[in-house]
Protein backbone atom coordinates (compact mmCIF):
# COMPACT_ATOMS: atom_id res chain seq x y z
CA UNK A 1 0.00 0.00 0.00
CA UNK A 2 2.73 2.41 0.97
CA UNK A 3 4.49 1.64 -2.30
CA UNK A 4 1.33 2.40 -4.31
CA UNK A 5 0.83 5.73 -2.51
CA UNK A 6 4.41 6.67 -3.20
CA UNK A 7 3.95 5.84 -6.89
CA UNK A 8 0.80 7.99 -7.13
CA UNK A 9 2.58 10.88 -5.38
CA UNK A 10 5.43 10.63 -7.88
CA UNK A 11 3.00 10.64 -10.84
CA UNK A 12 1.12 13.66 -9.49
CA UNK A 13 4.37 15.45 -8.76
CA UNK A 14 5.60 14.81 -12.28
CA UNK A 15 2.28 16.03 -13.72
CA UNK A 16 2.37 19.25 -11.68
CA UNK A 17 5.97 19.86 -12.72
CA UNK A 18 5.15 19.45 -16.42
CA UNK A 19 2.10 21.70 -16.09
CA UNK A 20 4.20 24.30 -14.33
CA UNK A 21 6.87 24.06 -17.04
CA UNK A 22 4.21 24.50 -19.74
CA UNK A 23 2.81 27.68 -18.20
CA UNK A 24 6.32 29.03 -17.67
CA UNK A 25 7.03 28.38 -21.35
CA UNK A 26 3.86 30.25 -22.40
CA UNK A 27 4.70 33.22 -20.18
CA UNK A 28 8.31 33.20 -21.41
CA UNK A 29 7.10 33.21 -25.03
CA UNK A 30 4.72 36.06 -24.28
CA UNK A 31 7.53 38.23 -22.91
CA UNK A 32 9.73 37.31 -25.87
CA UNK A 33 7.03 38.61 -28.20
CA UNK A 34 6.79 41.82 -26.17
CA UNK A 35 10.58 42.21 -26.25
CA UNK A 36 10.51 41.71 -30.02
CA UNK A 37 7.95 44.47 -30.57
CA UNK A 38 9.81 46.76 -28.15
CA UNK A 39 13.02 46.15 -30.05
CA UNK A 40 11.45 46.87 -33.44
CA UNK A 41 8.87 49.37 -32.22
CA UNK A 42 9.72 52.07 -34.79
CA UNK A 43 9.67 49.60 -37.70
CA UNK A 44 6.31 48.18 -36.55
CA UNK A 45 4.81 51.67 -36.29
CA UNK A 46 6.14 52.48 -39.78
CA UNK A 47 4.59 49.29 -41.17
CA UNK A 48 1.24 50.15 -39.55
CA UNK A 49 1.32 53.66 -41.09
CA UNK A 50 2.27 52.29 -44.53
CA UNK A 51 -0.43 49.61 -44.31
CA UNK A 52 -3.05 52.14 -43.23
CA UNK A 53 -2.14 54.51 -46.07
CA UNK A 54 -2.24 51.72 -48.67
CA UNK A 55 -5.53 50.43 -47.23
CA UNK A 56 -7.01 53.91 -47.39
CA UNK A 57 -5.95 54.17 -51.03
CA UNK A 58 -7.50 50.76 -51.82
CA UNK A 59 -10.77 51.68 -50.07
CA UNK A 60 -11.02 55.03 -51.87
CA UNK A 61 -10.37 53.55 -55.33
CA UNK A 62 -12.13 50.18 -54.95
CA UNK A 63 -15.41 49.60 -56.76
CA UNK A 64 -17.71 47.38 -54.74
CA UNK A 65 -19.50 44.48 -56.39
CA UNK A 66 -23.26 44.39 -55.83
CA UNK A 67 -25.73 41.56 -56.18
CA UNK A 68 -28.85 42.05 -58.27
CA UNK A 69 -31.58 39.49 -57.54
CA UNK A 70 -34.05 38.70 -60.32
CA UNK A 71 -37.07 36.41 -60.63
CA UNK A 72 -37.57 35.40 -64.27
CA UNK A 73 -39.89 33.23 -66.37
CA UNK A 74 -38.30 31.32 -69.27
CA UNK A 75 -41.14 31.05 -71.79
CA UNK A 76 -41.57 28.88 -74.89
CA UNK A 77 -39.59 25.92 -73.49
CA UNK A 78 -36.47 28.10 -73.17
CA UNK A 79 -35.17 26.85 -69.80
CA UNK A 80 -32.28 24.88 -71.33
CA UNK A 81 -31.46 27.83 -73.59
CA UNK A 82 -31.34 30.22 -70.62
CA UNK A 83 -29.11 27.95 -68.49
CA UNK A 84 -26.76 27.33 -71.44
CA UNK A 85 -26.46 31.07 -72.10
CA UNK A 86 -25.72 31.81 -68.44
CA UNK A 87 -23.00 29.15 -68.42
CA UNK A 88 -21.52 30.49 -71.66
CA UNK A 89 -21.43 34.08 -70.35
CA UNK A 90 -19.73 32.97 -67.12
CA UNK A 91 -17.11 31.03 -69.13
CA UNK A 92 -16.47 34.07 -71.33
CA UNK A 93 -16.07 36.32 -68.26
CA UNK A 94 -13.55 33.91 -66.70
CA UNK A 95 -11.69 33.59 -70.00
CA UNK A 96 -11.52 37.37 -70.41
CA UNK A 97 -13.25 37.27 -73.82
CA UNK A 98 -13.85 41.02 -74.20
CA UNK A 99 -15.12 40.78 -77.78
CA UNK A 100 -17.96 38.46 -76.78
CA UNK A 101 -18.83 40.53 -73.71
CA UNK A 102 -18.87 43.73 -75.75
CA UNK A 103 -21.39 42.05 -78.04
CA UNK A 104 -23.55 41.29 -74.98
CA UNK A 105 -23.22 44.49 -72.93
CA UNK A 106 -21.62 47.14 -75.11
CA UNK A 107 -19.45 49.66 -73.25
CA UNK A 108 -20.33 48.20 -69.83
CA UNK A 109 -18.90 44.76 -70.63
CA UNK A 110 -16.36 44.92 -67.77
CA UNK A 111 -19.05 45.59 -65.18
CA UNK A 112 -20.59 42.11 -65.20
CA UNK A 113 -18.75 39.84 -62.74
CA UNK A 114 -20.85 36.67 -62.94
CA UNK A 115 -24.34 35.15 -63.00
CA UNK A 116 -25.93 32.44 -60.87
CA UNK A 117 -29.26 30.82 -61.67
CA UNK A 118 -31.45 28.26 -59.93
CA UNK A 119 -35.09 27.18 -60.14
CA UNK A 120 -37.66 28.42 -57.66
CA UNK A 121 -39.03 25.06 -56.54
CA UNK A 122 -42.84 25.22 -56.49
CA UNK A 123 -44.20 21.69 -56.74
CA UNK A 124 -47.78 22.72 -55.94
CA UNK A 125 -47.91 25.20 -58.81
CA UNK A 126 -46.29 22.69 -61.16
CA UNK A 127 -48.64 19.81 -60.27
CA UNK A 128 -51.78 21.95 -60.32
CA UNK A 129 -51.13 23.23 -63.84
CA UNK A 130 -52.40 20.11 -65.61
CA UNK A 131 -53.18 16.42 -65.36
CA UNK A 132 -50.16 15.73 -67.54
CA UNK A 133 -47.86 17.31 -64.94
CA UNK A 134 -49.36 15.10 -62.24
CA UNK A 135 -48.52 12.02 -64.33
CA UNK A 136 -44.97 13.28 -65.00
CA UNK A 137 -44.41 13.94 -61.32
CA UNK A 138 -45.72 10.50 -60.32
CA UNK A 139 -43.56 8.65 -62.86
CA UNK A 140 -40.32 10.48 -62.09
CA UNK A 141 -40.72 10.63 -58.31
CA UNK A 142 -41.44 6.89 -58.18
CA UNK A 143 -37.99 6.20 -59.58
CA UNK A 144 -35.98 8.25 -57.08
CA UNK A 145 -36.03 9.79 -53.62
CA UNK A 146 -38.38 12.76 -53.26
CA UNK A 147 -35.62 15.08 -52.00
CA UNK A 148 -33.29 14.04 -54.82
CA UNK A 149 -36.06 14.66 -57.33
CA UNK A 150 -36.55 18.23 -56.09
CA UNK A 151 -32.82 19.03 -56.09
CA UNK A 152 -31.95 17.35 -59.41
CA UNK A 153 -30.90 19.95 -61.96
CA UNK A 154 -32.62 18.14 -64.85
CA UNK A 155 -36.02 18.80 -63.23
CA UNK A 156 -35.51 22.57 -63.17
CA UNK A 157 -37.22 22.93 -66.54
CA UNK A 158 -40.53 21.92 -64.96
CA UNK A 159 -40.66 24.99 -62.69
CA UNK A 160 -42.12 28.25 -63.92
CA UNK A 161 -39.97 30.72 -61.98
CA UNK A 162 -36.18 30.90 -61.74
CA UNK A 163 -33.93 33.06 -59.58
CA UNK A 164 -30.96 34.86 -61.09
CA UNK A 165 -28.19 36.54 -59.08
CA UNK A 166 -26.25 38.97 -61.26
CA UNK A 167 -23.00 40.34 -59.76
CA UNK A 168 -22.20 43.81 -61.13
CA UNK A 169 -19.24 46.05 -60.34
CA UNK A 170 -20.51 49.38 -59.00
CA UNK A 171 -24.05 50.60 -58.43
CA UNK A 172 -24.39 53.26 -61.12
CA UNK A 173 -25.14 51.10 -64.19
CA UNK A 174 -26.84 48.01 -62.73
CA UNK A 175 -30.20 48.56 -64.45
CA UNK A 176 -28.50 49.35 -67.77
CA UNK A 177 -26.35 46.20 -67.60
CA UNK A 178 -29.35 43.99 -66.81
CA UNK A 179 -31.45 45.61 -69.56
CA UNK A 180 -28.67 44.95 -72.08
CA UNK A 181 -28.20 41.40 -70.79
CA UNK A 182 -31.87 40.51 -71.26
CA UNK A 183 -32.03 42.26 -74.61
CA UNK A 184 -29.23 39.91 -75.68
CA UNK A 185 -31.00 36.85 -74.23
CA UNK A 186 -34.26 37.76 -75.97
CA UNK A 187 -32.81 38.21 -79.47
CA UNK A 188 -32.80 34.51 -80.34
CA UNK A 189 -34.63 34.26 -83.68
CA UNK A 190 -36.22 30.92 -82.86
CA UNK A 191 -37.69 32.20 -79.60
CA UNK A 192 -38.82 35.46 -81.20
CA UNK A 193 -40.79 33.44 -83.76
CA UNK A 194 -42.23 31.31 -80.95
CA UNK A 195 -43.30 34.46 -79.09
CA UNK A 196 -45.32 35.70 -82.06
CA UNK A 197 -47.06 32.33 -82.43
CA UNK A 198 -47.85 32.04 -78.72
CA UNK A 199 -49.18 35.60 -78.50
CA UNK A 200 -51.42 35.15 -81.56
CA UNK A 201 -52.73 31.85 -80.16
CA UNK A 202 -53.49 33.39 -76.76
CA UNK A 203 -55.24 36.35 -78.36
CA UNK A 204 -57.39 33.98 -80.42
CA UNK A 205 -58.17 31.80 -77.36
CA UNK A 206 -59.25 34.82 -75.33
CA UNK A 207 -61.49 36.01 -78.16
CA UNK A 208 -63.10 32.57 -78.48
CA UNK A 209 -63.68 32.31 -74.73
CA UNK A 210 -65.40 35.70 -74.76
CA UNK A 211 -67.60 34.44 -77.62
CA UNK A 212 -68.55 31.35 -75.55
CA UNK A 213 -69.41 33.57 -72.58
CA UNK A 214 -71.59 35.71 -74.86
CA UNK A 215 -73.36 32.60 -76.15
CA UNK A 216 -74.05 31.41 -72.60
CA UNK A 217 -75.37 34.87 -71.69
CA UNK A 218 -77.72 34.73 -74.66
CA UNK A 219 -79.01 31.29 -73.60
CA UNK A 220 -79.56 32.45 -70.01
CA UNK A 221 -81.34 35.58 -71.28
CA UNK A 222 -83.51 33.50 -73.58
CA UNK A 223 -84.39 31.21 -70.67
CA UNK A 224 -85.44 34.16 -68.52
CA UNK A 225 -87.51 35.57 -71.36
CA UNK A 226 -89.29 32.25 -71.94
CA UNK A 227 -90.26 32.02 -68.27
CA UNK A 228 -91.86 35.46 -68.41
CA UNK A 229 -94.01 34.28 -71.34
CA UNK A 230 -96.09 31.19 -70.41
CA UNK A 231 -97.14 30.62 -74.00
CA UNK A 232 -93.56 30.41 -75.21
CA UNK A 233 -91.57 27.20 -75.46
CA UNK A 234 -89.08 26.89 -72.56
CA UNK A 235 -85.57 26.99 -73.96
CA UNK A 236 -83.65 25.40 -71.06
CA UNK A 237 -84.52 23.64 -67.83
CA UNK A 238 -83.48 24.84 -64.38
CA UNK A 239 -80.71 22.24 -64.23
CA UNK A 240 -79.42 23.41 -67.58
CA UNK A 241 -79.45 27.00 -66.38
CA UNK A 242 -77.33 26.14 -63.32
CA UNK A 243 -74.94 24.25 -65.58
CA UNK A 244 -74.64 27.26 -67.89
CA UNK A 245 -73.91 29.59 -64.98
CA UNK A 246 -71.21 27.23 -63.64
CA UNK A 247 -69.75 26.91 -67.12
CA UNK A 248 -69.68 30.70 -67.49
CA UNK A 249 -67.79 31.04 -64.19
CA UNK A 250 -65.27 28.44 -65.37
CA UNK A 251 -64.82 30.29 -68.64
CA UNK A 252 -64.25 33.60 -66.83
CA UNK A 253 -61.58 31.97 -64.66
CA UNK A 254 -59.96 30.56 -67.80
CA UNK A 255 -60.01 34.01 -69.39
CA UNK A 256 -58.12 35.42 -66.41
CA UNK A 257 -55.51 32.64 -66.72
CA UNK A 258 -55.19 33.23 -70.46
CA UNK A 259 -54.69 36.97 -69.96
CA UNK A 260 -52.02 36.27 -67.33
CA UNK A 261 -50.29 33.86 -69.72
CA UNK A 262 -50.45 36.45 -72.48
CA UNK A 263 -48.82 38.96 -70.12
CA UNK A 264 -46.08 36.42 -69.33
CA UNK A 265 -45.47 35.85 -73.03
CA UNK A 266 -44.38 39.42 -73.78
CA UNK A 267 -40.74 38.24 -73.70
CA UNK A 268 -38.94 34.93 -74.17
CA UNK A 269 -37.12 35.47 -70.87
CA UNK A 270 -39.37 37.73 -68.81
CA UNK A 271 -38.29 39.58 -65.68
CA UNK A 272 -40.99 39.31 -63.02
CA UNK A 273 -39.16 41.14 -60.24
CA UNK A 274 -35.76 42.80 -59.83
CA UNK A 275 -33.93 44.00 -56.73
CA UNK A 276 -30.89 46.11 -57.62
CA UNK A 277 -27.61 46.85 -55.82
CA UNK A 278 -27.81 44.50 -52.85
CA UNK A 279 -24.63 44.45 -50.77
CA UNK A 280 -22.94 41.12 -50.12
CA UNK A 281 -22.90 40.29 -46.43
CA UNK A 282 -19.51 38.86 -45.48
CA UNK A 283 -18.27 37.40 -42.23
CA UNK A 284 -15.49 39.54 -40.67
CA UNK A 285 -15.60 42.07 -43.50
CA UNK A 286 -12.77 44.34 -42.29
CA UNK A 287 -11.80 47.56 -44.01
CA UNK A 288 -8.56 47.57 -46.02
CA UNK A 289 -7.30 50.24 -43.58
CA UNK A 290 -7.36 47.52 -40.91
CA UNK A 291 -6.36 44.48 -42.99
CA UNK A 292 -3.18 45.79 -44.62
CA UNK A 293 -1.47 47.00 -41.40
CA UNK A 294 -2.19 43.57 -39.87
CA UNK A 295 -0.83 41.80 -42.97
CA UNK A 296 2.42 43.81 -42.96
CA UNK A 297 3.03 43.33 -39.23
CA UNK A 298 2.32 39.59 -39.46
CA UNK A 299 4.61 39.28 -42.49
CA UNK A 300 7.41 41.12 -40.69
CA UNK A 301 6.93 39.08 -37.50
CA UNK A 302 6.67 35.83 -39.45
CA UNK A 303 10.02 36.47 -41.13
CA UNK A 304 11.81 36.82 -37.78
CA UNK A 305 9.88 33.87 -36.34
CA UNK A 306 11.18 31.66 -39.15
CA UNK A 307 14.72 32.87 -38.48
CA UNK A 308 14.24 32.07 -34.78
CA UNK A 309 13.02 28.56 -35.62
CA UNK A 310 15.97 27.95 -37.93
CA UNK A 311 18.46 29.03 -35.24
CA UNK A 312 16.74 26.84 -32.66
CA UNK A 313 16.76 23.81 -34.96
CA UNK A 314 20.40 24.41 -35.83
CA UNK A 315 21.40 24.49 -32.13
CA UNK A 316 19.38 21.32 -31.55
CA UNK A 317 21.03 19.59 -34.50
CA UNK A 318 24.60 20.34 -33.29
CA UNK A 319 23.97 19.75 -29.61
CA UNK A 320 25.19 16.52 -27.99
Amino acid sequence: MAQENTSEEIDLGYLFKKTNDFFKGVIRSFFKVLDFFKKYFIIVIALIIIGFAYGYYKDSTAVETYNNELIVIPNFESVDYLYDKVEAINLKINAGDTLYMQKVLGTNFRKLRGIKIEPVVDLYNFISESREHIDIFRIISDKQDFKDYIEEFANSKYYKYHKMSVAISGDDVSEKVIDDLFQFLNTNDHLVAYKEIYQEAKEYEIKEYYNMVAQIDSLIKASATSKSRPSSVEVVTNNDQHFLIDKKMDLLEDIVKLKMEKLDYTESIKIVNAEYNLKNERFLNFSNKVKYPIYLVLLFSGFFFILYLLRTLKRYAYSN
Side-chain angles (χ1 to χ4, degrees):
M1 269 312 270
Q3 196 172 11
E4 288 181 4
N5 290 336
T6 303
S7 177
E8 289 179 1
E9 289 175 2
I10 292 172
D11 291 341
L12 288 173
Y14 179 78
L15 178 62
F16 285 138
K17 183 178 182 303
K18 285 297 180 181
T19 304
N20 189 44
D21 291 342
F22 170 77
F23 282 112
K24 280 185 178 180
V26 171
I27 295 171
R28 193 180 298 114
S29 299
F30 174 74
F31 280 105
K32 282 185 178 181
V33 171
L34 285 181
D35 290 339
F36 170 81
F37 282 110
K38 284 167 62 178
K39 181 178 180 180
Y40 296 102
F41 178 75
I42 295 176
I43 296 176
V44 170
I45 293 297
L47 289 173
I48 291 174
I49 293 172
I50 293 171
F52 180 85
Y54 182 69
Y56 179 81
Y57 167 76
K58 291 288 287 184
D59 282 343
S60 60
T61 57
V63 178
E64 190 169 356
T65 297
Y66 292 86
N67 245 0
N68 298 269
E69 302 289 345
L70 312 173
I71 301 296
V72 302
I73 302 175
N75 291 310
F76 323 129
E77 302 176 0
S78 62
V79 175
D80 291 333
Y81 163 80
L82 175 59
Y83 277 73
D84 288 345
K85 279 295 183 183
V86 167
E87 183 180 3
I89 291 172
N90 284 330
L91 289 173
K92 295 296 185 180
I93 292 173
N94 294 332
D97 191 339
T98 56
L99 292 177
Y100 181 88
M101 294 309 299
Q102 279 181 316
K103 179 183 174 183
V104 177
L105 299 175
T107 56
N108 295 315
F109 68 96
R110 297 188 187 278
K111 297 288 187 178
L112 183 61
R113 312 304 298 172
I115 307 172
K116 294 180 182 178
I117 185 169
E118 61 182 5
V120 177
V121 178
D122 186 358
L123 286 177
Y124 177 79
N125 183 58
F126 164 70
I127 294 172
S128 62
E129 283 183 353
S130 68
R131 177 70 188 179
E132 180 184 351
H133 285 181
I134 296 175
D135 295 336
I136 292 173
F137 176 76
R138 183 187 299 113
I139 293 170
I140 297 178
S141 60
D142 284 346
K143 295 181 179 180
Q144 64 186 128
D145 183 72
F146 185 75
K147 183 179 179 182
D148 294 338
Y149 169 77
I150 292 176
E151 295 178 351
E152 187 173 338
F153 173 76
N155 297 324
S156 64
K157 67 182 65 177
Y158 297 122
Y159 302 121
K160 179 178 180 179
Y161 297 102
H162 296 255
K163 180 180 179 181
M164 292 180 67
S165 297
V166 184
I168 297 175
S169 179
D171 60 354
D172 53 335
V173 293
S174 296
E175 294 188 34
K176 171 65 174 169
V177 169
I178 289 175
D179 287 344
D180 290 341
L181 174 63
F182 276 82
Q183 185 177 353
F184 170 77
L185 293 174
N186 286 317
T187 52
N188 181 275
D189 293 338
H190 181 74
L191 293 177
V192 170
Y194 263 33
K195 182 180 77 171
E196 294 177 1
I197 295 170
Y198 271 80
Q199 285 183 321
E200 288 177 6
K202 290 301 171 187
E203 187 68 39
Y204 180 77
E205 282 186 84
I206 292 170
K207 183 179 178 181
E208 288 300 304
Y209 271 68
Y210 272 121
N211 288 337
M212 285 187 280
V213 170
Q215 291 172 6
I216 290 174
D217 285 340
S218 65
L219 289 173
I220 294 173
K221 184 177 180 181
S223 173
T225 303
S226 67
K227 288 182 179 180
S228 65
R229 297 177 182 175
S231 59
S232 303
V233 178
E234 189 172 352
V235 179
V236 291
T237 66
N238 288 333
N239 289 336
D240 290 335
Q241 189 172 21
H242 286 302
F243 170 77
L244 289 173
I245 293 172
D246 290 340
K247 186 62 179 176
K248 177 182 177 180
M249 296 305 298
D250 291 339
L251 288 172
L252 291 175
E253 289 180 5
D254 290 338
I255 289 172
V256 172
K257 291 178 181 178
L258 288 170
K259 286 187 173 182
M260 291 172 65
E261 289 176 2
K262 184 185 175 185
L263 182 63
D264 289 341
Y265 291 161
T266 53
E267 295 292 349
S268 302
I269 313 296
K270 181 178 176 62
I271 299 177
V272 176
N273 185 60
E275 298 292 340
Y276 298 101
N277 299 325
L278 304 175
K279 286 190 175 182
N280 293 315
E281 295 295 332
R282 297 176 184 173
F283 181 68
L284 298 178
N285 187 22
F286 293 117
S287 167
N288 287 321
K289 295 188 289 290
V290 176
K291 288 190 291 188
Y292 282 105
I294 294 174
Y295 291 160
L296 290 177
V297 172
L298 287 177
L299 187 64
F300 178 73
S301 305
F303 174 74
F304 280 93
F305 181 69
I306 292 172
L307 290 180
Y308 170 76
L309 285 179
L310 290 174
R311 286 196 299 267
T312 302
L313 291 173
K314 185 177 181 180
R315 284 197 302 268
Y316 177 77
Y318 288 102
S319 63
N320 294 327

